[in-house]
Coordinates of all heavy atoms in Angstrom, one line a residue:
M1 N 8.2 -17.1 14.7 CA 7.4 -17.1 13.5 C 8.2 -17.9 12.4 O 9.4 -17.7 12.2 CB 7.1 -15.7 13.1 CG 6.4 -15.5 11.8 SD 4.7 -15.8 11.4 CE 3.6 -15.7 12.7
N2 N 7.4 -18.6 11.6 CA 8.0 -19.3 10.5 C 8.7 -18.4 9.5 O 8.1 -17.4 9.0 CB 6.8 -20.1 9.8 CG 7.2 -21.0 8.7 OD1 8.2 -20.8 8.0 ND2 6.4 -22.0 8.5
E3 N 9.9 -18.7 9.1 CA 10.7 -17.9 8.2 C 10.0 -17.8 6.8 O 10.1 -16.8 6.1 CB 12.1 -18.5 8.0 CG 13.0 -18.1 9.1 CD 13.2 -16.6 9.3 OE1 13.5 -15.9 8.3 OE2 13.1 -16.1 10.4
T4 N 9.4 -18.9 6.4 CA 8.7 -18.9 5.1 C 7.6 -17.8 5.0 O 7.5 -17.1 4.1 CB 8.2 -20.3 4.7 OG1 9.3 -21.2 4.7 CG2 7.5 -20.3 3.3
V5 N 6.8 -17.8 6.1 CA 5.7 -16.8 6.2 C 6.3 -15.4 6.2 O 5.8 -14.5 5.5 CB 4.8 -17.1 7.4 CG1 3.8 -15.9 7.6 CG2 4.2 -18.4 7.3
L6 N 7.4 -15.2 7.0 CA 8.0 -13.9 7.1 C 8.5 -13.4 5.7 O 8.4 -12.3 5.3 CB 9.1 -13.9 8.2 CG 8.6 -14.0 9.6 CD1 9.8 -14.1 10.5 CD2 7.7 -12.8 10.0
D7 N 9.2 -14.4 5.0 CA 9.7 -14.0 3.7 C 8.6 -13.7 2.8 O 8.7 -12.7 2.0 CB 10.5 -15.2 3.1 CG 11.9 -15.3 3.8 OD1 12.3 -14.4 4.5 OD2 12.5 -16.4 3.6
A8 N 7.5 -14.4 2.8 CA 6.3 -14.2 1.9 C 5.8 -12.8 2.2 O 5.5 -12.0 1.3 CB 5.3 -15.2 2.1
L9 N 5.6 -12.4 3.5 CA 5.1 -11.1 3.8 C 6.0 -10.0 3.3 O 5.6 -9.0 2.7 CB 5.0 -10.9 5.3 CG 3.8 -11.7 6.0 CD1 4.0 -11.7 7.5 CD2 2.5 -11.1 5.6
Q10 N 7.3 -10.2 3.5 CA 8.3 -9.2 3.1 C 8.3 -9.0 1.6 O 8.2 -7.9 1.1 CB 9.7 -9.6 3.6 CG 10.8 -8.7 3.2 CD 12.2 -9.2 3.5 OE1 12.4 -10.3 3.9 NE2 13.2 -8.3 3.5
Y11 N 8.4 -10.1 0.8 CA 8.5 -10.0 -0.6 C 7.2 -9.6 -1.3 O 7.1 -8.8 -2.3 CB 9.1 -11.2 -1.2 CG 10.5 -11.4 -0.9 CD1 11.0 -12.3 0.0 CD2 11.4 -10.5 -1.5 CE1 12.3 -12.4 0.3 CE2 12.8 -10.6 -1.2 CZ 13.2 -11.5 -0.3 OH 14.6 -11.6 0.0
Y12 N 6.0 -10.0 -0.7 CA 4.7 -9.6 -1.2 C 4.6 -8.0 -1.0 O 4.2 -7.3 -1.9 CB 3.6 -10.3 -0.4 CG 2.2 -9.7 -0.8 CD1 1.6 -10.1 -2.0 CD2 1.6 -8.7 -0.1 CE1 0.4 -9.6 -2.4 CE2 0.4 -8.2 -0.5 CZ -0.2 -8.6 -1.6 OH -1.4 -8.1 -2.0
G13 N 5.0 -7.6 0.2 CA 4.9 -6.1 0.5 C 5.8 -5.3 -0.5 O 5.3 -4.3 -1.0
A14 N 7.0 -5.8 -0.7 CA 7.9 -5.1 -1.6 C 7.4 -5.1 -3.1 O 7.4 -4.1 -3.8 CB 9.3 -5.7 -1.5
A15 N 6.9 -6.3 -3.5 CA 6.5 -6.4 -4.9 C 5.2 -5.6 -5.2 O 5.1 -4.9 -6.2 CB 6.3 -7.9 -5.2
T16 N 4.2 -5.7 -4.3 CA 3.0 -5.0 -4.5 C 3.2 -3.5 -4.4 O 2.6 -2.7 -5.2 CB 1.9 -5.4 -3.6 OG1 2.3 -5.3 -2.2 CG2 1.4 -6.8 -3.9
A17 N 4.0 -3.0 -3.6 CA 4.3 -1.6 -3.5 C 5.0 -1.1 -4.8 O 4.6 0.0 -5.3 CB 5.2 -1.2 -2.3
T18 N 5.9 -1.9 -5.3 CA 6.5 -1.5 -6.6 C 5.5 -1.5 -7.8 O 5.5 -0.5 -8.6 CB 7.6 -2.5 -6.9 OG1 8.6 -2.5 -5.8 CG2 8.4 -2.2 -8.2
I19 N 4.7 -2.5 -7.8 CA 3.6 -2.5 -8.9 C 2.7 -1.3 -8.7 O 2.3 -0.7 -9.7 CB 2.9 -3.9 -8.9 CG1 3.8 -5.0 -9.3 CG2 1.6 -3.8 -9.8 CD1 3.3 -6.4 -9.0
A20 N 2.2 -1.1 -7.5 CA 1.3 0.0 -7.3 C 2.0 1.4 -7.6 O 1.3 2.2 -8.3 CB 0.9 0.1 -5.8
A21 N 3.2 1.6 -7.3 CA 3.9 2.8 -7.7 C 4.0 3.0 -9.2 O 3.8 4.1 -9.7 CB 5.3 2.8 -7.0
L22 N 4.3 1.9 -9.9 CA 4.3 1.9 -11.3 C 3.0 2.3 -11.9 O 2.9 3.2 -12.8 CB 4.7 0.6 -11.9 CG 4.7 0.5 -13.4 CD1 5.7 1.4 -14.1 CD2 4.9 -1.0 -13.9
I23 N 1.9 1.8 -11.4 CA 0.6 2.1 -11.9 C 0.2 3.5 -11.6 O -0.3 4.2 -12.5 CB -0.5 1.1 -11.2 CG1 -0.3 -0.3 -11.7 CG2 -1.9 1.6 -11.5 CD1 -1.1 -1.3 -10.9
V24 N 0.5 4.0 -10.4 CA 0.3 5.5 -10.1 C 1.1 6.4 -11.0 O 0.6 7.3 -11.6 CB 0.5 5.8 -8.6 CG1 0.5 7.3 -8.4 CG2 -0.5 5.1 -7.7
S25 N 2.3 6.0 -11.3 CA 3.2 6.8 -12.1 C 2.7 6.9 -13.6 O 3.0 7.8 -14.3 CB 4.6 6.4 -12.1 OG 4.8 5.1 -12.8
L26 N 2.0 5.8 -14.0 CA 1.5 5.8 -15.4 C 0.3 6.7 -15.6 O -0.1 7.0 -16.7 CB 1.2 4.4 -15.8 CG 2.4 3.5 -16.0 CD1 2.0 2.0 -16.2 CD2 3.3 3.9 -17.1
N27 N -0.3 7.1 -14.5 CA -1.5 8.0 -14.6 C -2.5 7.5 -15.5 O -2.9 8.2 -16.5 CB -1.0 9.5 -14.9 CG -2.1 10.5 -14.7 OD1 -3.0 10.3 -13.9 ND2 -2.0 11.6 -15.3
L28 N -3.0 6.3 -15.3 CA -4.0 5.6 -16.2 C -5.4 6.0 -15.9 O -6.3 5.4 -16.5 CB -3.8 4.1 -16.1 CG -2.4 3.6 -16.5 CD1 -2.2 2.1 -16.2 CD2 -2.1 3.9 -18.0
G29 N -5.7 6.9 -15.0 CA -7.0 7.3 -14.7 C -7.4 7.1 -13.3 O -6.7 6.4 -12.5
R30 N -8.5 7.7 -12.9 CA -8.9 7.8 -11.5 C -9.2 6.4 -10.9 O -8.7 6.0 -9.8 CB -10.1 8.6 -11.4 CG -10.6 8.8 -10.0 CD -11.9 9.8 -10.1 NE -12.4 9.9 -8.8 CZ -12.4 11.0 -8.1 NH1 -11.8 12.1 -8.6 NH2 -12.9 11.1 -6.9
R31 N -9.9 5.6 -11.6 CA -10.3 4.2 -11.1 C -9.1 3.3 -11.0 O -8.9 2.6 -10.0 CB -11.4 3.6 -12.0 CG -12.0 2.4 -11.5 CD -13.4 2.3 -12.1 NE -14.2 1.2 -11.6 CZ -14.8 1.3 -10.4 NH1 -14.8 2.4 -9.7 NH2 -15.5 0.3 -10.0
I32 N -8.3 3.3 -12.0 CA -7.1 2.4 -11.9 C -6.1 2.9 -10.8 O -5.5 2.1 -10.1 CB -6.4 2.3 -13.3 CG1 -7.3 1.6 -14.3 CG2 -5.0 1.6 -13.2 CD1 -6.9 1.6 -15.7
T33 N -6.0 4.2 -10.7 CA -5.1 4.7 -9.6 C -5.7 4.3 -8.2 O -5.0 4.0 -7.3 CB -5.0 6.2 -9.7 OG1 -4.4 6.6 -11.0 CG2 -4.2 6.8 -8.6
G34 N -7.0 4.3 -8.1 CA -7.7 3.9 -6.9 C -7.3 2.4 -6.6 O -7.1 2.1 -5.4
W35 N -7.4 1.6 -7.6 CA -7.0 0.2 -7.4 C -5.5 0.0 -7.0 O -5.1 -0.9 -6.3 CB -7.4 -0.7 -8.6 CG -8.9 -0.9 -8.5 CD1 -9.9 -0.3 -9.2 CD2 -9.5 -1.9 -7.6 NE1 -11.1 -0.8 -8.8 CE2 -10.9 -1.8 -7.9 CE3 -9.1 -2.8 -6.7 CZ2 -11.9 -2.5 -7.2 CZ3 -10.0 -3.5 -6.0 CH2 -11.4 -3.4 -6.3
A36 N -4.7 0.9 -7.6 CA -3.3 0.9 -7.2 C -3.1 1.2 -5.7 O -2.3 0.6 -5.0 CB -2.5 1.9 -8.0
F37 N -4.0 2.1 -5.2 CA -3.9 2.4 -3.7 C -4.4 1.2 -2.9 O -3.9 1.0 -1.8 CB -4.7 3.7 -3.4 CG -3.9 4.9 -3.6 CD1 -4.1 5.7 -4.7 CD2 -2.9 5.3 -2.7 CE1 -3.3 6.9 -4.9 CE2 -2.1 6.4 -2.9 CZ -2.3 7.2 -4.0
I38 N -5.3 0.4 -3.5 CA -5.7 -0.8 -2.8 C -4.5 -1.7 -2.7 O -4.3 -2.4 -1.6 CB -6.9 -1.5 -3.5 CG1 -8.1 -0.7 -3.6 CG2 -7.1 -2.9 -3.0 CD1 -8.9 -0.7 -2.3
L39 N -3.7 -1.8 -3.7 CA -2.5 -2.6 -3.7 C -1.5 -2.0 -2.6 O -0.9 -2.8 -1.9 CB -1.8 -2.6 -5.0 CG -2.3 -3.5 -6.1 CD1 -1.5 -3.4 -7.4 CD2 -2.3 -5.0 -5.7
F40 N -1.4 -0.7 -2.6 CA -0.6 -0.1 -1.5 C -1.0 -0.5 -0.1 O -0.2 -0.7 0.8 CB -0.6 1.4 -1.7 CG 0.4 2.0 -2.6 CD1 0.1 3.0 -3.5 CD2 1.8 1.6 -2.6 CE1 1.0 3.6 -4.4 CE2 2.7 2.2 -3.4 CZ 2.3 3.2 -4.3
V41 N -2.4 -0.5 0.1 CA -2.9 -0.9 1.4 C -2.5 -2.3 1.7 O -2.1 -2.6 2.9 CB -4.5 -0.7 1.4 CG1 -5.1 -1.4 2.6 CG2 -4.8 0.8 1.4
T42 N -2.7 -3.2 0.8 CA -2.3 -4.6 1.1 C -0.8 -4.7 1.4 O -0.3 -5.5 2.2 CB -2.7 -5.6 0.0 OG1 -2.0 -5.4 -1.2 CG2 -4.2 -5.5 -0.2
S43 N 0.0 -3.9 0.6 CA 1.5 -3.9 0.9 C 1.8 -3.4 2.3 O 2.6 -4.0 3.0 CB 2.1 -3.0 -0.2 OG 3.5 -2.8 0.2
S44 N 1.1 -2.4 2.7 CA 1.4 -1.8 4.0 C 1.0 -2.8 5.1 O 1.7 -3.0 6.1 CB 0.6 -0.5 4.2 OG 1.1 0.5 3.4
V45 N -0.2 -3.5 4.9 CA -0.6 -4.5 5.9 C 0.5 -5.6 6.0 O 0.8 -6.0 7.1 CB -2.0 -5.0 5.6 CG1 -2.3 -6.2 6.4 CG2 -3.0 -3.9 5.7
A46 N 0.9 -6.1 4.9 CA 1.9 -7.2 4.9 C 3.2 -6.7 5.6 O 3.8 -7.4 6.4 CB 2.2 -7.6 3.5
L47 N 3.6 -5.5 5.3 CA 4.9 -5.0 5.8 C 4.8 -4.6 7.3 O 5.8 -4.7 8.0 CB 5.4 -3.8 5.0 CG 6.0 -4.2 3.6 CD1 6.3 -3.0 2.8 CD2 7.1 -5.2 3.7
I48 N 3.6 -4.2 7.7 CA 3.3 -4.0 9.2 C 3.5 -5.3 9.9 O 4.2 -5.4 10.9 CB 2.0 -3.4 9.4 CG1 1.9 -1.9 9.0 CG2 1.6 -3.5 10.9 CD1 0.5 -1.3 8.9
A49 N 2.9 -6.4 9.4 CA 3.0 -7.7 10.0 C 4.4 -8.2 10.0 O 4.9 -8.6 11.0 CB 2.1 -8.7 9.2
W50 N 5.1 -8.0 8.9 CA 6.5 -8.5 8.8 C 7.4 -7.7 9.7 O 8.2 -8.2 10.5 CB 7.0 -8.3 7.3 CG 8.4 -8.6 7.2 CD1 9.0 -9.8 7.3 CD2 9.5 -7.7 7.1 NE1 10.4 -9.7 7.2 CE2 10.7 -8.4 7.0 CE3 9.5 -6.3 6.9 CZ2 11.9 -7.8 6.9 CZ3 10.8 -5.7 6.8 CH2 12.0 -6.4 6.8
G51 N 7.1 -6.4 9.8 CA 7.9 -5.5 10.6 C 7.8 -5.9 12.1 O 8.8 -5.8 12.8
F52 N 6.7 -6.2 12.6 CA 6.5 -6.5 14.0 C 6.7 -8.0 14.4 O 6.9 -8.3 15.5 CB 5.2 -6.0 14.5 CG 5.1 -4.5 14.6 CD1 4.4 -3.7 13.7 CD2 5.8 -3.8 15.5 CE1 4.4 -2.4 13.7 CE2 5.8 -2.4 15.6 CZ 5.1 -1.7 14.7
L53 N 6.7 -8.8 13.4 CA 6.9 -10.3 13.6 C 8.4 -10.7 13.4 O 8.8 -11.7 13.9 CB 6.0 -11.1 12.7 CG 4.5 -11.0 13.0 CD1 3.7 -11.8 12.0 CD2 4.2 -11.5 14.4
S54 N 9.1 -9.9 12.7 CA 10.5 -10.1 12.5 C 11.4 -9.4 13.6 O 11.0 -8.4 14.1 CB 11.0 -9.6 11.1 OG 10.3 -10.3 10.1
E55 N 12.6 -10.0 13.8 CA 13.5 -9.3 14.7 C 14.1 -8.0 14.1 O 14.4 -8.0 12.9 CB 14.6 -10.3 15.1 CG 14.3 -11.3 16.2 CD 15.5 -12.0 16.6 OE1 16.6 -11.4 16.8 OE2 15.3 -13.2 16.8
D56 N 14.2 -7.0 14.9 CA 14.8 -5.8 14.5 C 14.2 -5.1 13.2 O 14.9 -4.5 12.4 CB 16.3 -6.0 14.2 CG 17.0 -6.5 15.5 OD1 16.6 -6.0 16.6 OD2 17.9 -7.3 15.4
S57 N 12.9 -5.2 13.0 CA 12.3 -4.6 11.8 C 11.1 -3.7 12.2 O 10.3 -3.4 11.4 CB 11.8 -5.7 10.9 OG 12.8 -6.6 10.5
E58 N 11.1 -3.3 13.5 CA 10.0 -2.5 13.9 C 9.8 -1.2 13.2 O 8.7 -0.6 13.0 CB 10.0 -2.2 15.4 CG 9.9 -3.4 16.3 CD 11.3 -4.1 16.5 OE1 12.3 -3.6 16.1 OE2 11.2 -5.2 17.1
G59 N 11.0 -0.6 12.7 CA 11.0 0.6 12.0 C 10.1 0.5 10.7 O 9.4 1.5 10.4
I60 N 10.2 -0.6 10.0 CA 9.4 -0.8 8.8 C 8.0 -0.9 9.2 O 7.1 -0.4 8.5 CB 9.9 -2.0 8.0 CG1 11.3 -1.8 7.5 CG2 8.9 -2.4 6.9 CD1 11.4 -0.8 6.4
G61 N 7.7 -1.6 10.3 CA 6.3 -1.7 10.7 C 5.7 -0.3 11.1 O 4.6 0.0 10.6
L62 N 6.5 0.5 11.8 CA 6.0 1.8 12.1 C 5.8 2.7 10.9 O 4.8 3.4 10.8 CB 6.9 2.5 13.1 CG 7.0 1.9 14.5 CD1 8.1 2.5 15.3 CD2 5.6 2.1 15.2
Q63 N 6.8 2.7 10.0 CA 6.7 3.4 8.8 C 5.4 3.0 8.0 O 4.7 3.9 7.5 CB 7.9 3.2 7.9 CG 7.8 3.9 6.6 CD 8.9 3.5 5.6 OE1 9.4 2.4 5.6 NE2 9.4 4.5 4.8
N64 N 5.1 1.8 7.9 CA 4.0 1.3 7.2 C 2.6 1.6 7.9 O 1.6 1.6 7.2 CB 4.1 -0.2 6.8 CG 5.0 -0.2 5.5 OD1 4.4 -0.1 4.4 ND2 6.3 -0.4 5.6
I65 N 2.6 1.8 9.2 CA 1.4 2.2 9.8 C 1.1 3.6 9.3 O -0.1 3.9 8.9 CB 1.6 2.3 11.4 CG1 1.6 0.8 11.9 CG2 0.4 3.1 12.0 CD1 2.0 0.7 13.4
A66 N 2.1 4.5 9.2 CA 1.8 5.8 8.6 C 1.4 5.7 7.1 O 0.5 6.4 6.7 CB 3.1 6.7 8.7
L67 N 2.1 4.9 6.4 CA 1.8 4.7 4.9 C 0.4 4.1 4.8 O -0.3 4.5 3.8 CB 2.9 3.9 4.3 CG 4.2 4.5 4.1 CD1 5.2 3.5 3.6 CD2 4.2 5.7 3.2
L68 N 0.0 3.3 5.7 CA -1.4 2.7 5.6 C -2.4 3.8 5.6 O -3.4 3.8 4.9 CB -1.6 1.7 6.7 CG -3.0 1.1 6.8 CD1 -3.3 0.3 5.5 CD2 -3.1 0.1 8.0
G69 N -2.2 4.8 6.6 CA -3.1 5.9 6.6 C -3.1 6.7 5.4 O -4.2 7.1 4.8
I70 N -2.0 7.0 4.8 CA -1.9 7.7 3.6 C -2.5 7.0 2.4 O -3.3 7.6 1.6 CB -0.4 8.0 3.2 CG1 0.2 9.0 4.3 CG2 -0.2 8.6 1.8 CD1 1.7 9.1 4.3
N71 N -2.3 5.7 2.4 CA -2.9 4.9 1.3 C -4.4 4.8 1.4 O -5.1 4.8 0.4 CB -2.2 3.5 1.3 CG -0.8 3.5 1.0 OD1 -0.3 4.4 0.2 ND2 0.0 2.6 1.5
M72 N -4.9 4.8 2.6 CA -6.4 4.8 2.8 C -7.0 6.1 2.3 O -8.1 6.1 1.7 CB -6.7 4.5 4.3 CG -6.2 3.2 4.8 SD -7.2 1.8 4.5 CE -8.6 2.2 5.5
V73 N -6.3 7.2 2.5 CA -6.7 8.5 1.9 C -6.8 8.3 0.4 O -7.7 8.8 -0.2 CB -5.8 9.6 2.4 CG1 -6.1 10.9 1.6 CG2 -5.9 9.9 3.9
G74 N -5.8 7.7 -0.2 CA -5.7 7.5 -1.6 C -6.9 6.7 -2.1 O -7.6 7.0 -3.1
V75 N -7.2 5.6 -1.4 CA -8.4 4.8 -1.8 C -9.6 5.6 -1.7 O -10.5 5.6 -2.6 CB -8.5 3.5 -0.8 CG1 -9.8 2.8 -1.0 CG2 -7.3 2.6 -1.1
W76 N -9.8 6.3 -0.6 CA -11.0 7.2 -0.5 C -11.1 8.2 -1.6 O -12.1 8.4 -2.2 CB -11.0 7.8 0.9 CG -12.2 8.8 1.0 CD1 -13.5 8.5 1.4 CD2 -12.2 10.2 0.8 NE1 -14.3 9.6 1.3 CE2 -13.5 10.7 1.0 CE3 -11.2 11.1 0.5 CZ2 -13.8 12.0 0.9 CZ3 -11.5 12.4 0.4 CH2 -12.8 12.9 0.6
R77 N -10.0 8.9 -1.8 CA -10.0 10.0 -2.8 C -10.3 9.5 -4.2 O -11.0 10.1 -4.9 CB -8.6 10.7 -2.7 CG -8.5 11.9 -3.6 CD -7.3 12.6 -3.4 NE -7.3 13.8 -4.3 CZ -6.2 14.3 -4.8 NH1 -5.0 13.9 -4.4 NH2 -6.3 15.4 -5.6
Y78 N -9.7 8.4 -4.6 CA -9.8 8.0 -6.0 C -10.9 7.0 -6.3 O -11.4 6.9 -7.4 CB -8.5 7.3 -6.5 CG -7.4 8.4 -6.7 CD1 -6.5 8.8 -5.7 CD2 -7.3 9.0 -7.9 CE1 -5.6 9.8 -5.9 CE2 -6.4 10.0 -8.2 CZ -5.5 10.4 -7.2 OH -4.6 11.4 -7.4
L79 N -11.4 6.3 -5.2 CA -12.5 5.3 -5.5 C -13.9 5.8 -4.9 O -14.9 5.3 -5.4 CB -12.1 4.0 -4.9 CG -11.0 3.2 -5.7 CD1 -10.7 1.9 -5.0 CD2 -11.3 3.1 -7.1
F80 N -13.9 6.6 -3.8 CA -15.1 6.9 -3.2 C -15.5 8.3 -3.2 O -16.7 8.6 -3.2 CB -15.1 6.4 -1.7 CG -14.9 4.9 -1.6 CD1 -13.7 4.4 -1.2 CD2 -15.9 4.0 -2.0 CE1 -13.5 3.0 -1.1 CE2 -15.8 2.7 -1.9 CZ -14.6 2.2 -1.4
S81 N -14.6 9.3 -3.2 CA -14.9 10.7 -3.2 C -15.5 11.1 -4.5 O -15.1 10.6 -5.6 CB -13.7 11.5 -3.0 OG -13.9 12.9 -3.1
K82 N -16.5 12.0 -4.5 CA -17.2 12.5 -5.7 C -16.4 13.7 -6.3 O -16.7 14.1 -7.4 CB -18.6 12.9 -5.4 CG -19.4 11.8 -4.8 CD -19.6 10.7 -5.8 CE -20.4 9.6 -5.3 NZ -20.3 8.3 -5.9
H83 N -15.5 14.3 -5.5 CA -14.7 15.4 -6.0 C -13.6 14.9 -6.9 O -13.0 13.9 -6.7 CB -14.1 16.2 -4.8 CG -15.1 16.8 -3.9 ND1 -15.6 16.2 -2.8 CD2 -15.7 18.0 -4.0 CE1 -16.5 17.0 -2.3 NE2 -16.5 18.1 -3.0
K84 N -13.4 15.7 -8.0 CA -12.3 15.3 -8.9 C -11.0 15.8 -8.3 O -10.9 16.9 -7.8 CB -12.5 16.0 -10.3 CG -13.7 15.4 -11.1 CD -13.7 16.0 -12.4 CE -14.7 15.3 -13.3 NZ -14.7 15.7 -14.7
P85 N -9.9 14.9 -8.4 CA -8.6 15.4 -8.0 C -8.1 16.6 -8.9 O -8.4 16.6 -10.1 CB -7.7 14.2 -8.2 CG -8.6 13.0 -8.4 CD -9.9 13.6 -8.9
R86 N -7.4 17.5 -8.2 CA -6.8 18.6 -9.0 C -5.7 18.1 -9.9 O -5.0 17.2 -9.5 CB -6.3 19.7 -8.0 CG -7.5 20.4 -7.4 CD -6.9 21.4 -6.4 NE -7.1 20.9 -5.1 CZ -6.4 21.1 -4.1 NH1 -5.3 21.9 -4.2 NH2 -6.6 20.6 -2.9
D87 N -5.5 18.8 -11.0 CA -4.4 18.5 -11.9 C -3.2 19.2 -11.4 O -3.1 20.2 -10.9 CB -4.7 18.8 -13.3 CG -5.7 17.9 -14.0 OD1 -5.7 16.7 -13.6 OD2 -6.5 18.4 -14.8

């Protein structure tokens, strides 16, 4: 795989996860938190691809498969569910 593509996947995944974590930590409201989880989903997808396309990075790929599921729950909970999250 092209090193430039692998680097782009790796750094995109890291940067978007950091931005999403900042947004969630700021507690700016339900809708914005939901969009932060969308960023987490794209980060997980990028890091899954990077993890399985790079040598010796399968652990990150496997970890992000689990995180993708968790992040999808966040998207559902904050953007689609009618129930209010507990404080």
Side-chain angles (χ1 to χ4, degrees):
M1 171 74 31
N2 182 332
E3 279 300 313
T4 303
V5 172
L6 291 175
D7 286 346
L9 288 169
Q10 179 184 13
Y11 289 109
Y12 174 83
T16 55
T18 302
I19 292 166
L22 174 63
I23 293 169
V24 169
S25 74
L26 292 173
N27 194 22
L28 298 172
R30 183 180 177 109
R31 192 156 186 79
I32 293 173
T33 299
W35 282 101
F37 276 105
I38 296 282
L39 284 177
F40 273 134
V41 165
T42 66
S43 170
S44 290
V45 169
L47 290 173
I48 289 167
W50 175 72
F52 288 107
L53 295 173
S54 296
E55 280 188 39
D56 300 324
S57 300
E58 295 87 8
I60 294 295
L62 290 170
Q63 177 188 34
N64 275 277
I65 289 172
L67 291 174
L68 177 61
I70 293 166
N71 296 330
M72 298 278 288
V73 170
V75 169
W76 176 81
R77 182 173 182 207
Y78 285 92
L79 292 180
F80 297 110
S81 175
K82 301 298 180 200
H83 294 92
K84 289 189 175 186
R86 288 181 254 151
D87 288 328

